[in-house]
Every structure is written in structure tokens, then in C-alpha cells.
């Protein structure tokens, strides 16, 4: 079965933006009393849940038989050829603290390959998207990764460990390396946003361990369509479900990968 990706893409953009408007409105009256704790430093709010329920209600009839994997487990459907991978609010800790960025992330996988990605960053009202073999766009304008080819000239994004500290020593070493040998390291708090900022050329590269599929699926597709390269810490393709991701513009990937691989896997 094949679907019209242009039609699906327009609907997914509208859905992500509508979910984002709801999140923006809720943030204005949000109180820290409304937080629930899922795990160590892993927070969820009624806003995450309502956003996912809204997204599910919009997507469920678009592709009959599609699976659905959402962070808040609104509905666990295995599905046939297609699967939606959804983070209704990526950057919940930022949201709780009234800080940007935070994003709505909706990806579509067909037979284990991503075919569509939409990331809506609420604070700047920016929609990043790509589908099929199209280029990547932000708010209607084509985006492309940067051409900076050396780590020493790069701005690097990452996520600090917050609940899984098994690789903290290696991670700290990698941070020290990039502090000494690049333009600097940034931790924005939303992996989907980090990845689309690599796609637009704000960052040259991004790496993190212990992310979930919904944090990265949509944005990795957008990044690839913008000319980026992505792999796991060993150079393989298991970066959506494998909890390790290295992403970079094409020119700097080889050097960036060799550093992260060496420090994080030895
Ligand atoms: P989430 O907001 O959807 O949970 C960045 O490190 C990634 O980790 C984010 O995409 C974020 O996704 C997730 N994360 C979960 N808990 C976090 C925390 N306490 N601090 C930072 N990131 C967290
Ligand atoms: Ca989330």
C-alpha cells in the first residue's frame, strides 16, 4: 500500500502546529504542581498527554492499518507497512521551566525507513519538514546543512545525561575534548530541535546517548533530506531505536564521528 505523501505532509504540518498552539497556550498558565514523574528526572504533564491524544485523533484515520508509537503511549498499535513515531512535546523540562526550545515531533516510517518528518518548534513558531525525496524546509524556505568541514570550526550540540549515568565518564571526556577543540558545546534540552538546527546549519554536529525513537525519528529524516549524515556510535544505522546517535553535516562527519566513536566506545 502506498499513500500520497504530499497530502499526508500538509495534514501532519497542520496537526503539529495545532498541537504547538495548544502547548503555547497551556504554558502561560502552567504551574509546577502539575508535574508527574515517570523516572529519575523524567517528567510528564497533562500537556504532553493531551497533545499526544490530539495528534493521535488527527492521524489515526489518515493511513488505515498504520502503527502508532508515541512517548505517552496513547495507543500502542503495531500496524502493517506504516508507523507513526510521535513525541507530543520534546523538551518537557524546558516547558516546565518556561524556557525554549520545545517541539512537537511527528515522523512516519514505512517498512523500517523514515519517509516523512515534521518538527514544530513552538517558541520560534518554526515548522521544519520533509517527505519522500523532497529537500527539507523551514516555514516554506529550503534549508541545508552547513559546509564547515573541521571540528575546530564547529558548534556542537549534545544532551547531558539526566537519568542514565552509565557512560558519564566517557561523556565528560568527550565534552572536554569539544570544549577545547571546537567553537563550543550547547545543550538546548530538545533533541528533535538540536537535529533540525543541524539541518539548518546552526550547529555542525550533534551526539547523545540514551535517547528514545520519538526524540529523533522525524528530525533525522529532515536532517538527511537537508544533506546531513547520521549513524550510531559504531558507524551503523541503528540510531532511531539504538539509543546512540551521531549526526553532522556531510563535510565534518568523518572527523566528528571518529572523535565520538573513539571516546564513547573505548
Ligand atoms: P523529552 O522532553 O521528550 O523527554 C535531551 O536530552 C532529550 O532527553 C530531550 O529530547 C528530552 O525529551 C529528553 N529528556 C527527558 N528528561 C529529560 C531531562 N530531565 N532533562 C533533559 N532532557 C530530558
Ligand atoms: Ca516528550
Amino acid at each position: 500500500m502506498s499513500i500520497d505523501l504530499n497530502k499526508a505532509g500538509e495534514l501532519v504540518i497542520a496537526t503539529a502546529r495545532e498541537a504547538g498552539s495548544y502547548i503555547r497556550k497551556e504554558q502561560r498558565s502552567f504551574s509546577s504542581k502539575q508535574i508527574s514523574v515517570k523516572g529519575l528526572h523524567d517528567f510528564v504533564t497533562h500537556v504532553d498527554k493531551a497533545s499526544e491524544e490530539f495528534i493521535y485523533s488527527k492521524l489515526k484515520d489518515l493511513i488505515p492499518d498504520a502503527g502508532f508509537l508515541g512517548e505517552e503511549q496513547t495507543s500502542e498499535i503495531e500496524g502493517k507497512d506504516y508507523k507513526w513515531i510521535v513525541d507530543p512535546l520534546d523538551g518537557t523540562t524546558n516547558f516546565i521551566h518556561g524556557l525554549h526550545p520545545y517541539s512537537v515531533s511527528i515522523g512516519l516510517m514505512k517498512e523500517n525507513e523514515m519517509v516523512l518528518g515534521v518538527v514544530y518548534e513552538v517558541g520560534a513558531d518554526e515548522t521544519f519538514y520533509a517527505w519522500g525525496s523532497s529537500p527539507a524546509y523551514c516555514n516554506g524556505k529550503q534549508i541545508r546543512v552547513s559546509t564547515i568541514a573541521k571540528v575546530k570550526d564547529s558548534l556542537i550540540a549534545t544532551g547531558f545525561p539526566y537519568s542514565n549515568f552509565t557512560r558519564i565518564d566517557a561523556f565528560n571526556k568527550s565534552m572536554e575534548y569539544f570544549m577545547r577543540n571546537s567553537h563550543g558545546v550547547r545543550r538546548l534540552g530538545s533533541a528533535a530541535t538540536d537535529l533540525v538546527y543541524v539541518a539548518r546549519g546552526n550547529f555542525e554536529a550533534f551526539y547523545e546517548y540514551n535517547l528514545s525513537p520519538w526524540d529523533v525519528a522525524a528530525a533525522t529524516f529532515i536532517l538527511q533530506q537537508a544533506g546531513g549524515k547520521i549513524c550510531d556510535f559504531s558507524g551503523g544505522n541503528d540510531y532511531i531505536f539504538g539509543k546512540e546517535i551521531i549526526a553532522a553535516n556531510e563535510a565534518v562527519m568523518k572527523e566528528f564521528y571518529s572523535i565520538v566513536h573513539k571516546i564513547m566506545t573505548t
Side-chain angles (χ1 to χ4, degrees):
M1 185 198 142
S2 242
I3 60 149
D4 180 347
L5 279 177
N6 287 318
K7 208 173 123 206
E10 295 303 330
L11 187 122
V12 175
I13 288 176
T15 301
R17 293 182 63 87
E18 212 177 317
S21 298
Y22 162 75
I23 293 167
R24 185 184 298 111
K25 190 168 80 24
E26 288 296 309
Q27 214 298 314
R28 290 188 195 121
S29 56
F30 189 78
S31 134
S32 55
K33 291 195 193 81
Q34 297 164 287
I35 303 167
S36 314
V37 181
K38 285 201 280 194
L40 178 65
H41 305 147
D42 193 1
F43 309 114
V44 66
T45 72
H46 70 280
V47 181
D48 301 63
K49 290 180 182 161
S51 173
E52 185 167 303
E53 279 160 26
F54 169 76
I55 293 166
Y56 177 69
S57 76
K58 292 283 176 181
L59 299 183
K60 74 178 178 359
D61 298 325
L62 189 65
I63 309 172
D65 298 335
F68 189 89
L69 174 66
E71 177 168 16
E72 310 312 334
Q73 298 167 334
T74 298
S75 177
E76 279 185 67
I77 305 171
E78 218 14 76
K80 280 196 179 154
D81 303 348
Y82 288 95
K83 186 181 219 125
W84 297 105
I85 305 182
V86 172
D87 192 337
L89 173 46
D90 183 58
T92 299
T93 307
N94 283 355
F95 170 85
I96 288 168
H97 289 266
L99 188 70
H100 296 132
Y102 41 84
S103 288
V104 177
S105 170
I106 305 177
L108 180 64
M109 190 174 243
K110 183 185 183 191
E111 291 154 7
N112 299 320
E113 300 277 338
M114 295 306 298
V115 294
L116 177 152
V118 173
V119 172
Y120 177 61
E121 200 288 295
V122 177
D125 189 23
E126 287 180 326
T127 314
F128 298 81
Y129 53 95
W131 49 78
S133 54
S134 78
Y137 295 90
C138 174
N139 287 3
K141 203 169 140 230
Q142 196 178 325
I143 54 169
R144 188 87 199 147
V145 291
S146 85
T147 53
I148 287 169
K150 294 251 186 277
V151 166
K152 74 174 177 49
D153 303 319
S154 294
L155 189 62
I156 314 284
T158 188
F160 304 152
Y162 57 88
S163 72
N164 176 336
F165 298 100
T166 49
R167 301 169 93 171
I168 186 86
D169 292 339
F171 181 77
N172 284 343
K173 270 189 205 137
S174 70
M175 288 273 294
E176 179 174 353
Y177 182 91
F178 291 123
M179 283 179 205
R180 291 180 185 275
N181 297 288
S182 75
H183 275 198
V185 183
R186 298 288 181 271
R187 195 279 198 256
L188 298 187
S190 161
T193 312
D194 291 325
L195 285 161
V196 295
Y197 286 0
V198 178
R200 188 168 58 185
N202 306 113
F203 294 129
E204 276 59 52
F206 167 75
Y207 71 113
E208 185 163 349
Y209 76 90
N210 207 42
L211 288 171
S212 297
W214 42 80
D215 299 319
V216 298
T220 55
F221 184 70
I222 297 167
L223 175 55
Q224 272 167 351
Q225 297 307 102
K229 297 285 170 203
I230 311 162
C231 62
D232 57 40
F233 285 3
S234 306
N237 285 328
D238 193 15
Y239 53 79
I240 293 182
F241 293 94
K243 296 189 165 283
E244 295 178 351
I245 185 165
I246 298 176
N249 79 31
E250 189 170 6
V252 84
M253 183 49 148
K254 201 168 160 218
E255 184 191 357
F256 183 68
Y257 167 75
S258 71
I259 296 161
V260 177
H261 169 73
K262 187 163 174 229
I263 300 176
M264 292 302 297
T265 63
T266 51

